Every structure is written in C-alpha cells, then in structure tokens.
Amino acid sequence: MFKTNKLFGVLIVIFSIQSALAQELTSKIIDSTFIELSVKPNTTAKVDDLIDLYKKAYKNKLTNEAILDEAIIVSEKLLYLKGLGESYDRRGLVARYNNDFSKSVTYHKRALNYLNKATDTLLIIKCLNNLGVSYRKLNLEKEAFQYYFQALDLSEKIKHERSITIALNGIGNVFIETKEYDKALYYFKKVYAFDLKNENIKGQEYSLSNIGEAYLYEKEYDSAFFYINRALQLTIEHKHKSSEAIRYNLLGLLFQKKGDFSKSTESYKEAIPLFTKSNNIRYLSNTLINIGKNQLNTGNYKNAGENIKLGLNNAKIIKSKENISLGYNALVSYYTVIKDYKNALNAHKLATTFNDSILNHASQESIISTQIAYETAKKDEAIQKLGVEKERIQQNANTSKNRLLYSILGSSGVVGALVIFFFLYRKNSDNKLDQKNSELQKYMLQIDQLKDKVANTTNTSKQQFEEIYNAYDLSKREVEVLTLISKGYSNIEISEQLFVSQNTIKTHIKNIYLKLDVKNRIQALKKIGI
C-alpha cells in the first residue's frame, strides 16, 4: 500500500513538472510572437493577429493585457472600427470573468458602438449576447432580455445555430431568475432539440442540466433528478471534469430542497476536489456554505460553523454578492441553533448592512457612470465618424485614381500633367488622412483624461455617497426613488420601474423633500450634490 501511494505521488510530481514546462514553453512562444507582431507595419491584418494571439494567451491562462493594448492602439491609428469593437468586447469578457459586471457592460456597449459601424453581423451577435449575460449578472432582467432578443433575431436572420442556442439559453436563464419556470423550460427544451440535432454533447449536458434546474425550482423533484442525473452521466462519460463538478453541485441543491441532507452533502463533497483543482472559487464557496447548512440540519454544528465561515471567506475574496449573502444568512441560522444570540444578531446586522451596501453601491455606480458613459460615448462617436470619413476619403481617392489612370491611357499627350495632378491629389488625400488621425489622437487624449478623472472619483465616491444618504436618514426605497429622479425619470416611469403605484411614489417623494428640507426635484438634487 505504501509503495502504491509513493508511486502515485511520484506520478503526480512528474505530471506537474510536465504541465509547468509546457506552460512555460507556451508562454515563451506567445511572448516571442507578440514581439514579432509589435515591430511589423501597422495594418488591419496585424490587429487581427494580435487579437487572435490574445485569445490564445487567455485560453492558456497566460493573459497579457499588453497584447490587447497594442491591438487597440494600432486600431485607433488606422481607424479600424472592427478591431476596436472586437478588442473592447474581449475587455468586457475579461471584466465579466473577474466578476466586475458593471465594467463588463461598459466595455461591451463601447464595443457594440464600433461594431455597428463595422457591420460584422456575427461579432455584433456575440457582443449582444455578452451584454445579455453581463446585465443578467447585475440582476437587470429587462436589459438582459432586450439584448438577448436582439441577438436571437439577428442569429435567426443569418441562420447561425450556435448563436441562436446561446441567445435561447440566455433568455431561459433570465426566466429562471424572474421565477417564470414554465417559460424557462420552453426555451431550454428548444435548445436541447438543437443540441440533439447537431449531436452537440457539451450542449446536451448543459441543456439537460438547465431543464433539471427549472424543474427543481418548480419542486418537481423526480423530473429534476432525471434530467440532472442524465446530464451528469453524459459529463462523466465524456470526461468533462469542470462540468461534472457543477452537476454534483446542482444535485446537492436538489437533495437539500427535498430535505435529504445526507445525500445532499455527499453530492456537494464530490464537487469539492473538482472545484479546488480548477480553482473555481465561486462554486467552491457556494458548495461549502451549503454543506454547512446541511450539517446544521443533521446536528453536526462544529463542522457546520467551520464550513459556512470558510465558504463565506472565499466568497468575500472574489466579491461574490450572491454567496456572501448566502453565507451571512447561514451564519444567522448557525448562531441561532447553538444559542449564541449575540453573534446571531451581529451576523444579521452584517447581512442587512451588506444588502444595503449592494443597493448603495449600485445606485452610486449608476449615478456616476451615467455621466461618464455619456461623455465617453461622445468621444467614441467622433472616432466612428472619423473612421467612416476616412473610408470615404480612401474610396474617393481610389475612384479618382482609377479615373486618372484611364485618362492617362487614353490621352498620352497630357500624361505629364495628369501624373503631376495625380500625385498632388494623392498628397492632398494623405494630408486629409493625417489631419483626421491628428483629430483622433486629440479625442483619445481627452478620453484618457476622462478615464483618469473617473479613476480618481471612484475611490472616494462610494464613501461620500453613503455619507450623504446616511446624513439625511433616507430609507432604501427613498434612495431608489431619488436615484431614479437623478436620471430624469417621471413619477409614472419611477412607479413602473419599482412596480408600485404613483400615489406611493408621490408619498416617497414628499418624505424625501421633508428630510432634505427642499421644495422640488432640482433643490433635492442640488442638496445631495448631483
């Protein structure tokens, strides 16, 4: 037995060394290719190669932001709108993978502005789907629907099935979050039909899992188990380890909902080593907290507390709002069960404070980013116009060049004069392009200055925002109303946004005026410095 374990340990070490060497070799190849590309003349092909290299680096977990920076710089110099759009879309994806969903939305929107001018339909669809995901992560279902359906419409027009299934899955997931599970099932089953037709195994796994999750929330546990277990079997059969852990996590939730806490814990424990190996902290923290909740129900209080706290700490590291909220609420239950009411009260206060901070942070980000997005959009619009104008100038130059060449062939007696005129015209066109590039550099400098301004503002704005609202003792609902007022919403629009009557909104506004000691909206916004 000892020899077997020793041999197994040696094999693990050898495998680790081989993986490290392969990773180092890949890193050197990527760095070498980047250096070669950097010294090449600036062309649209160079930008495309840089973006492809960045994707390769990211896939191998060797992210090098300098590659994408270079792609953006070259695209700006060339006024290459497609390159700018694709680069900012990648930036949005990275921000989303880092759980910075607000920044992700900003980058994807910026990308979409460029891509709409570049008219690359498939890239536009990808960007629309990415916006849907980011808005869904921010729990902004209305906006998520809007972009998913735009993506679906375009995908169906060009008959691109992969994009269709992505959009349908997104729509189904939004219905899960709005608790309209019958509608979610409709869309998930449509995707499953596509996956079966195309023999897409990974797609089938994902669709089966989604269908099972919808049945789970509908409390149709037998149907839920059938689909989730089928997804797990496919995953194990095809050795998709990262997906396997997610299926076990979902089975753990299913058994927990059924009240079978021992089976739930067994499923969750199957997922832990897989999440640990893939460094999936978000799912790992969720799994640990739920194991702790199960242990509370089976009387294993000591381990319950340890797992809940460990899961909560992991959630805080990656700033997973959903899991932080889950962890604090689990701590309330834990301290209550062991009759430590003082800590239970503290945990409850922390949970309440955290939920309030989510609201305040979201409101603060919304108010600040609205102005910044507006100003940045104006700069982007100028760049787009310059790009379109550059293309027009180039087309006119090419047309004139062709006309002049035909004239030269037909009128040899005036060849000298036409040649001189031709070069003068080309020189004039080049001067115009240089002028446009100079204007572009001026706009980009203004954008960089604006970014610096945002960076300096963001560090202090959250604290100032919370101090302002705490100073006037506004309720959470009054904060929401005042935030929408700052965006220019009318009473009717605010009532629709918050799903309450206009009379209720009028009451909230009256209370806001009383607390701020003002008489109208303008005075209220001035009072809090907006």
Side-chain angles (χ1 to χ4, degrees):
M1 185 70 175
F2 174 75
K3 289 182 178 179
T4 302
N5 289 339
K6 187 175 181 180
L7 178 60
F8 182 67
V10 170
L11 290 173
I12 290 176
V13 171
I14 293 171
F15 177 76
S16 299
I17 292 172
Q18 288 176 337
S19 298
L21 290 173
Q23 187 85 338
E24 185 179 355
L25 179 61
T26 305
S27 177
K28 287 181 178 178
I29 293 172
I30 289 171
D31 290 342
S32 175
T33 306
F34 178 42
I35 292 169
E36 290 175 9
L37 283 172
S38 298
V39 298
K40 284 186 175 182
N42 290 339
T43 62
T44 56
K46 174 180 176 177
V47 174
D48 294 337
D49 289 341
L50 284 166
I51 294 171
D52 288 340
L53 182 63
Y54 181 81
K55 291 177 183 177
K56 180 180 178 181
Y58 195 86
K59 185 178 180 181
N60 286 279
K61 298 180 181 179
L62 297 167
T63 306
N64 185 347
E65 292 302 316
I67 300 173
L68 206 55
D69 290 339
E70 180 70 9
I72 290 173
I73 290 168
V74 176
S75 296
E76 287 168 353
K77 288 179 179 177
L78 298 173
L79 294 173
Y80 182 33
L81 301 182
K82 176 178 174 289
L84 283 168
E86 195 169 1
S87 296
Y88 279 114
D89 198 42
R90 296 303 305 181
R91 279 262 164 90
L93 283 172
V94 173
R96 191 176 89 211
Y97 295 150
N98 291 331
N99 301 302
D100 192 343
F101 304 119
S102 295
K103 186 180 287 186
S104 176
V105 165
T106 300
Y107 282 134
H108 287 314
K109 277 193 168 183
R110 194 166 185 181
L112 188 61
N113 285 336
Y114 286 122
L115 293 173
N116 280 332
K117 296 291 183 182
T119 64
D120 186 313
T121 304
L122 192 55
L123 283 178
I124 291 171
I125 291 169
K126 288 179 180 179
C127 192
L128 289 168
N129 273 323
N130 286 333
L131 272 167
V133 176
S134 296
Y135 271 119
R136 185 162 58 83
K137 296 293 184 181
L138 288 169
N139 301 117
L140 296 171
E141 288 83 10
K142 181 179 177 181
E143 289 81 359
F145 267 126
Q146 173 189 343
Y147 288 106
Y148 277 134
F149 275 111
Q150 285 184 43
L152 180 60
D153 182 53
L154 276 180
S155 302
E156 288 177 339
K157 284 179 180 176
I158 66 171
K159 298 179 181 179
H160 193 268
E161 289 193 355
R162 187 170 186 275
S163 297
I164 291 172
T165 58
I166 291 171
L168 289 172
N169 268 322
I171 294 167
N173 279 312
V174 173
F175 278 125
I176 288 286
E177 286 160 13
T178 58
K179 300 182 180 180
E180 298 174 87
Y181 306 122
D182 55 335
K183 293 180 182 177
L185 280 168
Y186 170 78
Y187 285 99
F188 288 149
K189 286 181 178 180
K190 284 188 72 172
V191 178
Y192 186 48
F194 273 112
D195 293 330
L196 286 173
K197 184 184 76 171
N198 297 324
E199 298 182 353
N200 181 353
I201 300 300
K202 273 198 170 183
Q204 290 175 40
E205 293 172 16
Y206 188 63
S207 295
L208 287 165
S209 184
N210 281 337
I211 293 169
E213 186 176 5
Y215 278 123
L216 188 161
Y217 292 127
E218 281 199 320
K219 299 182 180 178
E220 295 186 26
Y221 297 129
D222 289 341
S223 296
F225 178 78
F226 172 81
Y227 283 102
I228 297 171
N229 192 52
R230 177 61 185 140
L232 177 61
Q233 289 172 0
L234 271 179
T235 304
I236 294 172
E237 180 182 344
H238 294 277
K239 299 178 180 179
H240 299 149
K241 286 295 182 181
S242 58
S243 300
E244 183 181 335
I246 294 171
R247 309 292 174 252
Y248 277 122
N249 180 274
L250 195 53
L251 275 177
L253 180 62
L254 169 61
F255 289 124
Q256 188 182 78
K257 294 285 186 183
K258 290 179 68 175
D260 193 339
F261 303 112
S262 295
K263 272 193 174 182
S264 175
T265 299
E266 288 174 12
S267 296
Y268 279 129
K269 284 184 176 179
E270 290 285 348
I272 286 178
L274 299 172
F275 286 141
T276 303
K277 185 176 180 180
S278 62
N279 198 33
N280 193 331
I281 306 299
R282 186 169 74 89
Y283 267 103
L284 182 61
S285 67
N286 177 276
T287 299
L288 289 168
I289 293 167
N290 277 310
I291 287 176
K293 289 173 66 177
N294 288 339
Q295 290 168 332
L296 280 180
N297 284 283
T298 57
N300 188 355
Y301 302 139
K302 180 182 178 182
N303 289 332
E306 291 175 355
N307 282 316
I308 292 170
K309 290 172 185 176
L310 180 58
L312 178 58
N313 287 336
N314 282 335
K316 288 178 180 178
I317 290 170
I318 62 167
K319 300 178 182 178
S320 171
K321 297 175 183 178
E322 179 185 355
N323 288 334
I324 291 172
S325 180
L326 180 71
Y328 277 132
N329 288 314
L331 273 183
V332 173
S333 299
Y334 166 70
Y335 285 124
T336 301
V337 166
I338 65 172
K339 298 181 180 180
D340 186 348
Y341 300 115
K342 181 179 179 181
N343 276 326
L345 180 60
N346 286 335
H348 177 72
K349 287 179 179 178
L350 286 170
T352 303
T353 302
F354 173 75
N355 290 328
D356 288 343
S357 73
I358 293 175
L359 171 65
N360 289 338
H361 182 65
S363 301
Q364 168 254 339
E365 277 194 347
S366 176
I367 291 171
I368 293 173
S369 64
T370 298
Q371 179 186 2
I372 301 305
Y374 171 70
E375 293 183 27
T376 304
K378 288 193 295 184
K379 308 300 180 187
D380 283 344
E381 185 179 356
I383 294 171
Q384 292 166 36
K385 286 180 179 177
L386 287 170
V388 172
E389 192 168 349
K390 176 186 175 181
E391 290 179 4
R392 182 183 60 78
I393 292 170
Q394 288 177 327
Q395 288 173 358
N396 289 342
N398 290 332
T399 301
S400 298
K401 176 183 175 182
N402 292 333
R403 286 175 181 171
L404 287 169
L405 287 173
Y406 288 135
S407 298
I408 289 170
L409 292 173
S411 307
S412 57
V414 290
V415 169
L418 287 175
V419 168
I420 293 170
F421 178 77
F422 172 74
F423 281 113
L424 288 174
Y425 185 88
R426 290 292 298 187
K427 185 176 181 180
N428 185 51
S429 296
D430 290 341
N431 288 337
K432 286 184 178 180
L433 290 177
D434 288 341
Q435 182 182 353
K436 296 302 175 185
N437 283 331
S438 297
E439 292 178 33
L440 171 66
Q441 295 302 320
K442 181 183 73 174
Y443 280 118
M444 295 314 302
L445 178 61
Q446 291 175 2
I447 289 175
D448 290 339
Q449 292 171 345
L450 183 60
K451 287 178 180 177
D452 292 339
K453 175 184 173 184
V454 177
N456 293 332
T457 303
T458 303
N459 292 331
T460 57
S461 57
K462 180 178 178 182
Q463 181 179 352
Q464 293 171 346
F465 184 87
E466 293 175 352
E467 288 174 357
I468 287 170
Y469 286 111
N470 289 335
Y472 295 108
D473 194 28
L474 296 178
S475 68
K476 287 195 291 185
R477 183 59 86 179
E478 288 165 357
V479 170
E480 290 177 328
V481 172
L482 189 52
T483 300
L484 293 173
I485 287 173
S486 72
K487 295 181 180 181
Y489 282 45
S490 66
N491 286 4
I492 294 174
E493 291 171 331
I494 295 173
S495 67
E496 290 175 351
Q497 189 78 9
L498 299 180
F499 303 102
V500 295
S501 69
Q502 291 185 51
N503 288 334
T504 301
I505 296 302
K506 288 178 181 178
T507 301
H508 286 314
I509 292 174
K510 182 180 178 182
N511 290 336
I512 290 169
Y513 288 171
L514 286 172
K515 291 181 180 181
L516 296 181
D517 190 24
V518 296
K519 295 181 179 180
N520 55 48
R521 294 183 175 213
I522 295 174
Q523 290 179 355
L525 294 177
K526 285 183 177 179
K527 191 70 174 278
I528 64 172
I530 294 176

